[in-house]
Amino acid sequence: MSTPPPLPPSGDVPPPLPGAAPPPLPLPTPTKPPETREPAVTKEPPKGKLFPCLNCGAKVEFDPRDRALKCPYCGHTSSVEDGGAEVEERNFNEYASKLVKGNVGGIEGRSTQTRCGGCGAMVLLEDKVVTDSCPFCSTHLENRPEAVEGMLRPESLIPFKVDLRAAREEFDSWLGGLWFAPTELKKVANLGQLAGVYLPYWTYDAMTYTRYHGMRGDDYQETEYYTDKDANGNEVQRSRTVTKTNWYSVSGEVQHFFDDVLVCGSKSVPEHLISGLEPWNTNELEVFQDAFLAGLKTERYAVDLKQGLVVAKEVMQPTIRDLIRRDIGGDHQRIESTDTRYLGVTFKHCLLPVWIANYHYHEKLFQILINGRTGKVSGERPWSWMKIIRLVVIVLLAAGLIAALVAAFSGKGRSPRAAANEPVPSAVMSERNSLAGVYRSGAEFETDHTGYRRLPAG
């Protein structure tokens, strides 16, 4: 693969993630001259992916003769492959600068919205629906709808594959596997409120070019001599092998294409529950149709297009830093500075299927999410402290009983040697001593548990 042309001028550099870089450490003077490397392309964009000209940044045009995208200013070309029927990607810059006419407003059949007074979710209401409840907290939605304005319509979704019955089975299975769950949990959890919801998501594609400066550390072994004292206190010379590190400066560039970085547009569900539903297969996205929403609910995104890209860049950063460490190589790596450019950013506004169960236990709201495609469960659960305390008491009682039984059986099973070592009463000792004299004189005798004694005459 040929070396890519120079990058366009750098734009705004995203702020570094908190805690992403290691704390500064004093480094030895580099033992090698700085090294500058050729760009490392870890993943290229798919064939036919449209990007600004990588040479000058201008918009490219289609050249029918070469069947390629050609820059009218610098002549740089890139081939175009036939593409199948796929969900359309939208240019981020076009939509971020203005709301594109024709793609703004409510979903057909859901032209009004109302904000939940319990959790703050903005629920899109079906037309002609008089009353409803919030799918995220079960709060009754007041009948104060307002017209949907300034919203980018979703253009794709993943339809539900797990139906209500299967969702309830997954719910029951999850509850049955909980340790120390309250006995009344199944009664409190109102399965009648299990609601099918389409959550708003953004997906982002971007080709990233990251220039970096860092340090590479290569370990080597060295024999070290030192003076020590032996067992007699004499000084002796000993040796040991120590590991040392040579550090030198490295500069380079890593290139990586990020495909379908998912960012949830909802704030009505905790982030850890949302992430627990992953992974999502974005290859299953279909062109949006109103029929997919029949009998289900959906929410207007609370994280807008620009805010979503900020989150997506944060998601990309760990991958970029791992690629940089891999490119630096060696036994140790330190990243001192990075400059990432995001080119050809596109997005999709899509809806993903989720079953949501809400229940209150001791006046606290708990939520369970079920992936409407795979059936994977991600939920919060209460704990029964009475069950935990009861188990601890049972364990302690069982341990005490076992200890008592062990002590009793060890007493009954004493060996003859152990019995012989026990203290002997003084009267018994006196008789033993007198009989010992008889034994020394050659008289017949017998033994019993008290020691030696003379046999009766005759």
Side-chain angles (χ1 to χ4, degrees):
M1 184 171 56
S2 59
T3 302
L7 296 174
S10 175
D12 295 334
V13 178
L17 293 176
L25 296 174
L27 296 176
T29 304
T31 58
K32 296 184 181 181
E35 177 183 343
T36 302
R37 301 180 175 180
E38 294 295 325
V41 182
T42 57
K43 184 180 180 183
E44 293 182 313
K47 300 294 184 182
K49 186 76 177 180
L50 304 182
F51 293 103
C53 176
L54 297 180
N55 191 43
C56 67
K59 288 188 176 181
V60 295
E61 298 175 354
F62 181 73
D63 185 353
R65 292 174 300 177
D66 297 332
R67 190 177 173 79
L69 296 173
K70 187 173 183 179
C71 177
Y73 299 95
C74 69
H76 180 71
T77 62
S78 56
S79 61
V80 176
E81 302 291 336
D82 292 334
E86 298 180 354
V87 176
E88 187 174 358
E89 299 273 357
R90 297 295 184 181
N91 184 284
F92 175 84
N93 292 329
E94 292 180 4
Y95 279 73
S97 60
K98 59 181 179 180
L99 291 174
V100 179
K101 188 177 181 180
N103 194 41
V104 178
I107 302 171
E108 186 175 351
R110 297 171 188 260
S111 57
T112 58
Q113 62 188 19
T114 184
R115 186 176 298 279
C116 173
C119 65
M122 186 67 78
V123 181
L124 300 179
L125 298 175
E126 291 185 77
D127 294 347
K128 300 180 181 180
V129 171
V130 178
T131 182
D132 209 341
S133 61
C134 176
F136 302 102
C137 66
S138 301
T139 300
H140 176 72
L141 297 175
E142 297 183 11
N143 191 16
R144 296 178 183 176
E146 58 185 35
V148 178
E149 296 180 352
M151 184 189 86
L152 289 175
R153 293 193 183 102
E155 295 185 306
S156 60
L157 55 74
I158 297 179
F160 274 86
K161 190 174 182 179
V162 177
D163 61 12
L164 178 59
R165 180 176 180 178
R168 287 183 175 178
E169 291 175 354
E170 296 290 349
F171 185 89
D172 287 338
S173 177
W174 181 82
L175 286 178
L178 297 181
W179 284 70
F180 308 116
T183 305
E184 62 270 26
L185 178 58
K186 288 189 177 182
K187 299 178 182 179
V188 175
N190 188 352
L191 292 180
Q193 296 299 322
L194 194 65
V197 182
Y198 278 104
L199 293 183
Y201 273 80
W202 305 101
T203 74
Y204 296 91
D205 293 3
M207 187 66 197
T208 60
Y209 300 83
T210 305
R211 292 193 177 108
Y212 69 86
H213 297 282
M215 299 288 290
R216 168 176 173 149
D218 292 329
D219 290 341
Y220 65 95
Q221 278 70 43
E222 193 174 84
T223 301
E224 183 178 83
Y225 296 94
Y226 64 98
T227 301
D228 196 5
K229 290 186 179 182
D230 60 15
N232 299 323
N234 301 319
E235 291 188 353
V236 293
Q237 190 176 37
R238 303 185 188 277
S239 65
R240 60 190 172 194
T241 301
V242 295
T243 300
K244 296 186 177 181
T245 304
N246 273 334
W247 291 90
Y248 61 93
S249 178
V250 178
S251 297
E253 180 181 283
V254 293
Q255 304 175 7
H256 188 77
F257 174 70
F258 286 91
D259 183 27
D260 283 349
V261 177
L262 272 174
V263 175
C264 184
S266 174
K267 292 184 177 179
S268 305
V269 182
E271 184 178 349
H272 69 279
L273 295 184
I274 289 291
S275 60
L277 296 176
E278 297 175 355
W280 294 96
N281 184 3
T282 54
N283 293 327
E284 297 178 335
L285 284 170
E286 299 184 22
V287 176
F288 178 83
Q289 297 183 49
D290 297 332
F292 285 128
L293 270 63
L296 301 166
K297 300 178 182 180
T298 188
E299 179 191 14
R300 175 173 178 160
Y301 53 80
V303 178
D304 64 26
L305 179 61
K306 292 183 179 180
Q307 294 170 338
L309 181 59
V310 173
V311 177
K313 289 180 178 180
E314 293 176 355
V315 175
M316 298 176 191
Q317 278 300 310
T319 299
I320 292 175
R321 297 185 71 85
D322 286 343
L323 295 173
I324 292 174
R325 291 189 182 94
R326 195 182 308 168
D327 193 55
I328 291 176
D331 299 302
H332 310 279
Q333 307 84 32
R334 286 180 55 84
I335 302 173
E336 296 181 336
S337 64
T338 62
D339 179 10
T340 301
R341 306 174 204 181
Y342 305 84
L343 296 185
V345 180
T346 59
F347 75 94
K348 295 189 293 286
H349 177 204
C350 58
L351 302 177
L352 301 185
V354 178
W355 290 101
I356 299 181
N358 306 295
Y359 57 93
H360 291 80
Y361 181 76
H362 290 180
E363 301 182 356
K364 182 179 179 181
L365 174 68
F366 293 88
Q367 291 178 310
I368 293 179
L369 307 185
I370 304 172
N371 187 314
R373 196 71 180 182
T374 65
K376 185 178 181 181
V377 180
S378 175
E380 298 173 317
R381 47 82 49 86
W383 295 83
S384 173
W385 294 109
M386 289 301 299
K387 285 187 176 182
I388 296 175
I389 294 173
R390 190 183 309 151
L391 177 65
V392 172
V393 171
I394 292 174
V395 170
L396 293 176
L397 290 176
L401 178 61
I402 291 173
L405 291 174
V406 169
F409 280 108
S410 63
K412 290 183 178 181
R414 291 178 303 168
S415 64
R417 179 176 298 179
N421 291 331
E422 290 185 355
V424 181
S426 57
V428 176
M429 275 306 291
S430 177
E431 185 177 356
R432 281 187 180 180
N433 294 333
S434 61
L435 291 175
V438 174
Y439 172 75
R440 285 193 295 270
S441 64
E444 295 182 357
F445 66 95
E446 69 176 15
T447 59
D448 61 11
H449 70 282
T450 61
Y452 296 103
R453 62 186 177 85
R454 187 183 299 275
L455 289 174

